[in-house]
Each structure stands twice: as structure tokens, then as C-alpha cells.
Amino acid sequence: MPIRIDDDLPVKKILEDENIFVMGTGRACSQDIRPLDILILNLMPLKEDTELQLMRSLSNTPLQVNITLLRTESYESKNVTKGHLDRFYEGFNSVRNRKWDGFIITGAPVEKLEFEDVEYWDELREIMDWSEKNVTSTIHICWGAQAGLYYRYGVNKFDLPKKLSGVYEHHTFHKKTPLVRGFDDSFYVPHSRYTGVSKEDIVANNRLEIVAESEVAGPYLIIGDEGKNIFVTGHPEYDVLTLDQEYNRDKNKGMNPDIPVNYYPDDNPDKKPIKSWRCHANTLYANWLNYYVYQMTPYEWR
């Protein structure tokens, strides 16, 4: 089934060219069904890239999904045109007076800052407080996961010795947990970050449960309050060339980055990377939409 997005959103044409079922507003309004309303707070600087990546994964489900893009009002991104933000994004004040089936909070390139030093931290705290009563389930990605674990559960981040960049092997616990239903015993996920979260701190909190981790990258999938909040410490939504773009960006800045782990064939950046994580990324988002949103949200919000 399709995702429903604005007819004029630039990524719509790309999705259609990839044979992803996208439904425009006109056709969607003529169908007599109850679609899921999903809100995405996009904190990433390259907003159109993140839109495309997330919508690819959200389209792999038999459910019809309405997408609404949300931006911060206390900080305006410098890497996207104001026209794009004004045309396709909502401010918090325009969405706060209604209920949402699902909510996604993306990562952001601010992880070296203390949370309280992030320019939009107060606004993000307000949004997370609001989501507790107005959203069925929220999924937090990378820095968004660290921010959510810190604010909602008191689990702080810590600095890593060097940037964690690459595609890492993971394994699941509790294979009957719906979030990892259909996962293989081992699977791969891209990570790109300078900070991590402590497994010991998560295990010590009886409201949190780790359901997948990596021996190298640490806890990966964490469920809070039985699925009210879900935390994804990596970037399963990444395209095949995203880590390559980040590596070359850092190299061009003179940062002397390490070659991303398990990414280029023979660790040769001149060779095209191999995509090895898309199936599990799609399964993750399909499981979230089905088991933690669709099965739990009311047919009619009251």
C-alpha cells in the first residue's frame, strides 16, 4: 500500500521512479479507509535526503500512511531553502492540537554538544512531553534516540574514542518481540556517530528493554514502556552512498577520517559500497507500523 505525501514534494518523483507506491492527496482523499497519520520531526541538515530515505522504508507495508513533516520553530536549518520548509513543513503549533498514530524523531549533527546546549533543546523537550499523550508510538533515530533516552529515561550519552562509522553486525534478543519479528539471527546496520549509550544504564532501567545489539556498536534497538517509545541508535534508513558521502565530506575538510568499517569492498573507497542492510531496515519500520502503531492506535481518536 502507498504512503501519502504532498503532490509537489520533490522526493515524490524519485520514489515513483523507484517503483515505490506513492499516492497523491487527490486520490487518497477519495478512498474510504482509515490511514495512519505519521509525523516526522526532521532534524537532519540535508532534509530532502532524509525525507527520501525514511519514505522508502515506510512504504514497505500493506498499510496506507499519511506523512506530515515537522520542523523546529526555534531554529531554522541552513542547508535547505526557506521555500522548501515553508511549503512542505509544519511548525509545532500547527500540529499540537490533534492526535497522531506514529511519530519519528530523526538524528541531528549536534551530538558533540551537551543536550542543554542544543539551540532547540527546550522546544524538543516540549514536543517529547506533548507526544506522551498525543502519539501512540514514537521512534527515535541516532541522536534523536540519545536525546529521547536522556530526557525520557535519564540515560546519558558518552563520548567514543573516535567516530563510529561503518556497517556493523548485530544480533537480536527475545526473537518473539514483535519489533524484531522476521529478523535473521545476525543482520547489518550503518552507524555514524561520535557518542554512545551505556548498556548497563539501559539494563538498570526496568522501563527499558534492549532487543538488538552489536558487540562493536553497542545497544541498537531499545524498547521503552512496551513500545510507547522505541530507540534506534544507528541509521537503518541510510542509502547505499550516504556513508561514502560523509567520508568524503570529512576527508575534504582535512579531518583524516577512518575508512567506514565493512563498507567498501576490500576497504577500497574507489569501489562502490555494497548495500547489506535494506531488507532489515524495511522489516524494522514495517514491524513498528504494524505492531506498535496500527495494532495499538484507536480507530477514532477521542
Side-chain angles (χ1 to χ4, degrees):
M1 290 295 285
I3 54 173
R4 174 185 169 187
I5 58 178
D6 192 294
D7 290 307
D8 297 325
L9 190 68
V11 300
K12 181 173 184 286
K13 178 64 166 59
I14 300 174
L15 292 167
E16 289 173 334
D17 289 344
E18 294 178 1
N19 201 31
I20 291 174
F21 191 3
V22 179
M23 182 177 288
T25 303
R27 181 179 175 190
C29 289
S30 68
Q31 293 194 325
D32 186 20
I33 64 171
R34 161 69 161 89
L36 295 176
D37 289 315
I38 305 298
L39 186 65
I40 301 176
L41 175 58
N42 188 356
L43 301 174
M44 294 292 278
L46 301 179
K47 299 213 180 305
E48 293 186 58
D49 289 353
T50 304
E51 294 164 13
L52 180 60
Q53 292 165 8
L54 287 173
M55 289 177 192
R56 282 189 181 120
S57 290
L58 291 172
S59 69
N60 284 278
T61 169
L63 305 167
Q64 183 173 314
V65 179
N66 291 346
I67 303 294
T68 298
L69 298 169
L70 179 65
R71 64 177 180 178
T72 56
E73 295 179 323
S74 55
Y75 174 81
E76 187 165 306
S77 176
K78 300 176 177 63
N79 295 284
V80 64
T81 65
K82 187 176 184 299
H84 185 85
L85 290 173
D86 290 344
R87 174 65 179 84
F88 300 112
Y89 280 73
E90 302 287 342
F92 181 47
N93 285 326
S94 67
V95 304
R96 67 188 306 162
N97 293 323
R98 57 169 294 191
K99 306 291 186 179
W100 296 86
D101 302 307
F103 184 27
I104 297 174
I105 300 175
T106 73
V110 294
E111 58 185 304
K112 291 185 177 181
L113 297 175
E114 296 297 326
F115 292 114
E116 291 80 5
D117 293 335
V118 174
E119 191 167 345
Y120 48 80
W121 178 246
D122 288 342
E123 182 179 4
L124 181 57
R125 287 170 55 220
E126 183 182 6
I127 291 171
M128 287 193 284
D129 286 339
W130 164 87
S131 71
E132 289 297 317
K133 293 184 178 179
N134 294 279
V135 175
T136 299
S137 178
T138 300
I139 194 166
H140 312 65
I141 303 171
C142 200
W143 180 84
Q146 295 180 353
L149 285 168
Y150 174 68
Y151 184 64
R152 299 185 194 273
Y153 300 96
V155 175
N156 207 345
K157 60 184 173 70
F158 63 88
D159 293 334
L160 297 171
K162 61 180 180 179
K163 184 177 183 180
L164 183 79
S165 176
V167 182
Y168 298 88
E169 185 177 14
H170 295 65
H171 63 273
T172 59
F173 303 104
H174 318 298
K175 293 182 175 59
K176 293 184 179 180
T177 302
L179 188 64
V180 294
R181 189 166 290 168
F183 276 42
D184 292 327
D185 291 339
S186 65
F187 60 98
Y188 291 87
V189 180
H191 287 261
S192 178
R193 49 187 167 85
Y194 292 91
T195 54
V197 290
S198 166
K199 178 177 180 178
E200 290 73 20
D201 290 347
I202 296 169
V203 171
N205 190 317
N206 59 15
R207 295 169 57 200
L208 297 171
E209 178 186 22
I210 300 172
V211 296
E213 72 171 2
S214 164
E215 292 183 3
V216 178
Y220 167 56
L221 295 178
I222 303 143
I223 295 176
D225 294 315
E226 300 181 344
K228 177 69 176 175
N229 294 297
I230 291 172
F231 305 94
V232 182
T233 64
H235 281 289
E237 78 284 355
Y238 266 11
D239 291 336
V240 66
L241 291 177
T242 305
L243 287 175
D244 175 71
Q245 293 163 356
E246 293 180 353
Y247 170 71
N248 284 295
R249 176 201 64 198
D250 292 349
K251 189 170 65 171
N252 291 336
K253 289 181 178 179
M255 298 171 62
N256 194 28
D258 290 343
I259 294 174
V261 173
N262 197 31
Y263 181 57
Y264 298 109
D266 303 320
D267 286 335
N268 183 350
D270 293 328
K271 294 185 177 181
K272 184 178 179 180
I274 297 173
K275 186 192 307 175
S276 59
W277 61 89
R278 177 62 58 80
C279 289
H280 280 85
N282 291 344
T283 301
L284 170 64
Y285 284 102
N287 286 347
W288 173 63
L289 284 173
N290 183 24
Y291 298 114
Y292 298 89
V293 181
Y294 177 70
Q295 301 293 341
M296 303 301 294
T297 200
Y299 185 81
E300 292 184 5
W301 280 100
R302 298 186 184 277

